[in-house]
Amino acid sequence: MKKIILASVFAGLSFGGIAAAQTTVVVPGEVKTYVLEQSSPSVVYQGDLVVGTRLPDTVEVYTIPDQPTYGYVVLNDRRVLINPQTREVIEVLQ
């Protein structure tokens, strides 16, 4: 009986990890193109630039016309797509 319960718990945890890993955001190509064409100043940032990082309020997020769900910043000379509502990194472009 213990083996069945442990197997069930392990299977549930395994599938939960798979579901969490599938939260990838697909960014439209025109958003990436727009961000790569902009000449915004770069800001020095000391933290990690990885997907999911929440940026502090001191970092100015630029808006993207006709794309309210995306914003961007240039940190350490790298263009970074941001969710403007949560200020979380969506993707590091360069």
Side-chain angles (χ1 to χ4, degrees):
M1 183 68 162
K2 285 184 180 180
K3 289 181 181 179
I4 294 172
I5 293 171
L6 288 175
S8 297
V9 169
F10 179 73
L13 291 174
S14 296
F15 290 125
I18 292 169
Q22 295 178 352
T23 57
T24 303
V25 175
V26 178
V27 178
E30 61 267 16
V31 169
K32 292 180 182 182
T33 300
Y34 177 85
V35 171
L36 291 172
E37 292 175 346
Q38 301 309 301
S39 59
S40 303
S42 181
V43 175
V44 175
Y45 181 71
Q46 299 298 324
D48 292 331
L49 284 178
V50 295
V51 173
T53 299
R54 188 177 299 244
L55 298 178
D57 292 338
T58 55
V59 175
E60 182 180 359
V61 175
Y62 298 101
T63 58
I64 299 174
D66 301 324
Q67 297 287 343
T69 57
Y70 300 102
Y72 76 96
V73 296
V74 182
L75 301 174
N76 304 334
D77 295 320
R78 299 170 74 191
R79 295 172 190 279
V80 182
L81 291 173
I82 303 294
N83 176 328
Q85 286 76 34
T86 63
R87 302 183 64 79
E88 290 182 358
V89 173
I90 297 172
E91 184 176 344
V92 179
L93 296 179
Q94 56 176 342

